[in-house]
Amino acid sequence: RLMSQTYELIIIGAGVAGSSLAYQLVHQNVENILLLDAGEIGRGTKSTYTIPPPQPVFETETSYSPYISGTALPPEASTAKMMVTLFPSTAQEFLRHHGESGVKSYLDLSRKGLSIQKSLAKSLFPGRLDIMHELGSVLVAEKDSVAELRREYALYHKLGLNVRYLDHQEVEGLHGPSANFEGGILFPDDAIINSPAYSRALVDAVRGPHLRVIENSSRMEAIEDTPEGVVVKLADGTRYH
């Protein structure tokens, strides 16, 4: 018999985003939450799936072997960046579309989110530099785009972001002369985190009566909005409401 369950909220994917959401919701006293992941949280899966129609991203692609939902990464990329400057476009394009107040709101929310994640990581893994390392990050530019980089720095500085401009010599000291970078912006508050271990720790901290966790679930096939609420359908026919 196919399983059918009703929940207050369903989270699909237990990567950093899904695990963080589950953690925060439980601490906000939200009850009856379901967290689904197609792999093992913090370990992922390498199951191969055929790319669904209408067509693959690249013409030569017919299948892919992902680590599902970002819960685990290959050894050469076992960390994820925790950054405050991830605009969905260039800073100047974002400014043109949303204005200075929009940029400020975006950066304020990003900084708050970064601060929350770093505090959580420190509380879950005190003193563990192998889990989180506050190295900062550097946005660099070659000679033909250094003027745009300076405009971006001026914008961040005006809005009160903790940044420092790096000249050619400073950037060369970081990347070496062969990198051919002319300038950079240092974001000292940025960090890197071991995302698989972090995701697992977040879920383990709140797993219990308010949060049901299903790992190695069937792949999600559809989400439907019905008069009775949202229905999540999995490939094996299981339905969650």
Side-chain angles (χ1 to χ4, degrees), residues 11 22-23 26 32-35 203 206-213:
I11 302 170
Y23 183 95
V26 171
N32 200 23
I33 304 167
L34 174 65
L35 176 61
V203 173
V206 292
R207 189 193 302 257
H210 299 319
L211 175 68
R212 182 186 180 192
V213 180

Side-chain angles (χ1 to χ4, degrees), residues 16-65:
V16 171
S19 300
S20 298
L21 179 59
Y23 183 95
Q24 296 292 346
L25 288 171
V26 171
H27 280 276
Q28 293 297 318
N29 299 315
V30 178
E31 299 180 0
N32 200 23
I33 304 167
L34 174 65
L35 176 61
L36 293 170
D37 196 272
E40 294 181 34
I41 301 171
R43 298 180 182 89
T45 179
K46 287 185 176 179
S47 300
T48 300
Y49 299 105
T50 299
I51 294 179
Q55 62 183 26
V57 178
F58 302 103
E59 291 183 4
T60 56
E61 268 188 329
T62 57
S63 64
Y64 61 102
S65 300

Side-chain angles (χ1 to χ4, degrees), residues 222-235:
I223 298 178
E224 295 181 358
D225 192 2
T226 71
E228 292 75 31
V230 174
V231 177
V232 176
K233 294 182 177 181
L234 303 186

Side-chain angles (χ1 to χ4, degrees), residues 14-181:
V16 171
S19 300
S20 298
L21 179 59
Y23 183 95
Q24 296 292 346
L25 288 171
V26 171
H27 280 276
Q28 293 297 318
N29 299 315
V30 178
E31 299 180 0
N32 200 23
I33 304 167
L34 174 65
L35 176 61
L36 293 170
D37 196 272
E40 294 181 34
I41 301 171
R43 298 180 182 89
T45 179
K46 287 185 176 179
S47 300
T48 300
Y49 299 105
T50 299
I51 294 179
Q55 62 183 26
V57 178
F58 302 103
E59 291 183 4
T60 56
E61 268 188 329
T62 57
S63 64
Y64 61 102
S65 300
Y67 279 86
I68 300 297
S69 79
T71 55
L73 297 169
E76 64 271 16
S78 61
T79 56
K81 294 179 181 178
M82 303 174 71
M83 302 177 68
V84 76
T85 53
L86 291 176
F87 285 115
S89 62
T90 67
Q92 293 303 316
E93 288 173 344
F94 198 85
L95 178 63
R96 282 194 293 272
H97 280 281
H98 301 284
E100 193 171 291
S101 62
V103 173
K104 186 177 187 306
S105 296
Y106 183 90
L107 291 174
D108 286 345
L109 285 171
S110 297
R111 280 188 289 188
K112 184 175 179 62
L114 177 63
S115 176
I116 290 171
Q117 297 285 26
K118 290 200 299 186
S119 295
L120 278 174
K122 289 176 181 177
S123 66
L124 293 169
F125 302 101
R128 290 280 302 276
L129 294 181
D130 58 321
I131 299 295
M132 186 184 73
H133 210 349
E134 296 178 86
L135 297 170
S137 64
V138 179
L139 178 65
V140 294
E142 296 180 342
K143 189 173 184 179
D144 59 352
S145 55
V146 75
E148 182 179 346
L149 184 77
R150 287 186 177 276
R151 288 194 294 269
E152 189 161 335
Y153 167 75
L155 175 63
Y156 293 143
H157 184 71
K158 181 180 180 180
L159 296 177
L161 202 66
N162 183 23
V163 294
R164 184 166 71 85
Y165 191 82
L166 305 179
D167 60 23
H168 174 73
Q169 286 185 327
E170 290 176 295
V171 175
E172 189 174 276
L174 292 172
H175 292 277
S178 62
N180 200 32
F181 295 130

